[in-house]
Amino acid sequence: MGALALILFSNRLVDRSGQIDLSPQAHGALLNEADRLGAANVPDQVPAALAPQGHTAIQLAFVDVFHTVLLISAGLAWIGALLAALISKPASSKP
């Protein structure tokens, strides 16, 4: 799940930071922080006026990924419960 979260976070950060008017260098520096997930910081290459937007992009990308991973985990739990119900045999009730 962790590798999936990293990939999803990188993709969501690309989407979210694409809405900010950043130079290619600043955008690249922001994307280099993606491997830190929610602990990512806005790099110094991002202008101070755009730093709050960069911080918001990081936070929203993390929330997007958390939501997706939560849904996948819930789906897997339901599939596991369904399989357990289908596979398990009822206990015999002999006196």
Side-chain angles (χ1 to χ4, degrees):
M1 238 359 143
L4 177 63
L6 277 173
I7 292 168
L8 290 173
F9 183 74
S10 294
N11 290 336
R12 293 304 301 152
L13 189 56
V14 167
D15 294 342
R16 296 281 185 179
S17 63
Q19 300 170 6
I20 305 170
D21 188 27
L22 294 173
S23 69
Q25 295 81 10
H27 191 256
L30 183 61
L31 296 180
N32 284 338
E33 289 285 314
D35 62 341
R36 298 184 64 214
L37 289 174
N41 294 314
V42 178
D44 293 335
Q45 291 88 339
V46 174
L50 298 175
Q53 293 175 353
H55 185 68
T56 300
I58 291 169
Q59 289 179 327
L60 292 176
F62 183 77
V63 170
D64 291 344
V65 170
F66 184 81
H67 182 249
T68 302
V69 169
L70 179 71
L71 290 175
I72 291 170
S73 298
L76 290 173
W78 277 104
I79 291 170
L82 178 64
L83 288 174
L86 292 173
I87 293 172
S88 64
K89 298 178 183 177
S92 62
S93 57
K94 292 182 181 178

